Amino acid sequence: MSESKLAGQFFDAAIGLLQRVRDEEGERIAEAGTAVADAVAAGNRLFAFGAGHSSLAAQDVVYRAGGLALMNFLAVPGTAGVDVMPATLGSALERVDGLAGAVLDSSPATAGDVLVVISLSGRNALPVEMAVNARALGLTVIGVTSVAYARETRSRHVSGTFLKDHCDIVLDSKIAVGDAELSHDGIAAPFAPASTVVTSAIMQAVMAAAAGELAARGIEPPLLRSGNVDGGHEWNGRVMQEYRDRIFFRH
């Protein structure tokens, strides 16, 4: 099999997953968009959290051209990327009990806010406790995860539960356990993960649904424009000034 055929197979796999999510999760994505719109309309705040590669989809909706200016990244030090040394420390921190509570307690998140918790497996202590603690504080929790992990793996949290068990809304990414879409006779391990493609698409779909819901209510969605188009900086400056009490990535 040529390299180009493998590349094409990955695109086919990713497209297939995106179609499944669109068709099977559309109602819940709309529900999540409504929850985000409700928070914006009520004067509340928006947060997204993810650890490891799950953080990529969370970061993708923060300070993003075409995105909602009010979406803030809820960072847990050492877990948000591969820049931490050693990179394996991030994986270890996902299994630490109590870390999520400490982060939430020192964050600006309060009752009425929305928190999106992204975790492919949803089995580690950090995302589970993030959802549990956020709901205890009165936040609406949207979980983006692969429900297959709850069926085929064991939780690493002391409760034996998964992220999906502690969310107001669950969006299933449909990613198979192992997050590798391709295999090949000459390659020992499965490869070509699609979770970032699919999860980022889910997040953007939720943001689009929220923008549409706000517009339907006669509320101008607080969207950012690209700083690389004429007038973009001026537009963003006005939006950030108007919503400065709900934007935390500027401080």
Side-chain angles (χ1 to χ4, degrees):
M1 181 179 295
S2 70
E3 293 85 348
S4 62
K5 286 184 179 179
L6 285 172
Q9 284 189 354
F10 175 75
F11 280 111
D12 289 342
I15 291 168
L17 285 163
L18 290 169
Q19 289 174 332
R20 279 194 64 198
V21 170
R22 179 197 62 194
D23 296 342
E24 299 174 17
E25 298 299 305
E27 183 176 335
R28 284 175 289 277
I29 287 171
E31 184 182 357
T34 296
V36 169
D38 287 344
V40 173
N44 296 116
R45 288 79 61 84
L46 308 174
F47 299 90
F49 163 76
H53 285 91
S54 290
S55 74
L56 297 175
Q59 294 179 57
D60 192 46
V61 294
V62 176
Y63 188 50
R64 181 64 190 264
L68 290 174
L70 306 190
M71 183 59 74
N72 300 279
F73 184 59
L74 186 63
V76 177
T79 70
V82 294
D83 57 331
V84 62
M85 295 294 289
T88 51
L89 176 61
S91 298
L93 288 173
E94 289 187 62
R95 305 176 191 180
V96 174
D97 294 333
L99 184 56
V103 168
L104 276 170
D105 287 345
S106 60
S107 80
T110 59
D113 295 346
V114 168
L115 171 63
V116 183
V117 179
I118 305 169
S119 174
L120 178 61
S121 73
R123 69 192 296 231
N124 289 309
L126 186 54
V128 171
E129 292 183 359
M130 190 67 75
V132 169
N133 283 277
R135 289 182 88 186
L137 290 173
L139 278 74
T140 297
V141 176
I142 300 167
V144 183
T145 187
S146 170
V147 174
Y149 278 83
R151 296 192 300 263
E152 302 176 33
T153 70
R154 296 178 61 184
S155 171
R156 289 184 175 137
H157 188 249
V158 64
S159 68
T161 61
F162 288 76
L163 169 62
K164 75 173 186 64
D165 300 314
H166 304 285
C167 300
D168 297 286
I169 303 167
V170 177
L171 306 178
D172 183 5
S173 65
K174 315 294 182 183
I175 301 294
V177 172
D179 192 16
E181 293 301 318
L182 301 182
S183 60
H184 183 51
D185 287 342
I187 303 174
F191 56 100
S195 60
T196 303
V197 173
V198 176
T199 305
S200 291
I202 290 172
M203 292 298 293
Q204 294 297 346
V206 171
M207 297 302 105
E213 178 65 22
L214 286 167
R217 302 181 192 183
I219 300 171
E220 178 69 28
L223 296 168
L224 295 173
R225 291 188 172 184
S226 172
N228 295 313
V229 299
D230 292 342
H233 285 300
E234 292 77 13
W235 172 281
N236 293 341
R238 289 193 298 271
V239 171
M240 289 187 181
Q241 176 64 21
E242 181 177 352
Y243 293 95
R244 63 188 181 277
D245 59 328
R246 292 190 267 171
I247 296 173
F248 303 104
F249 50 79
R250 300 184 67 199
H251 303 300

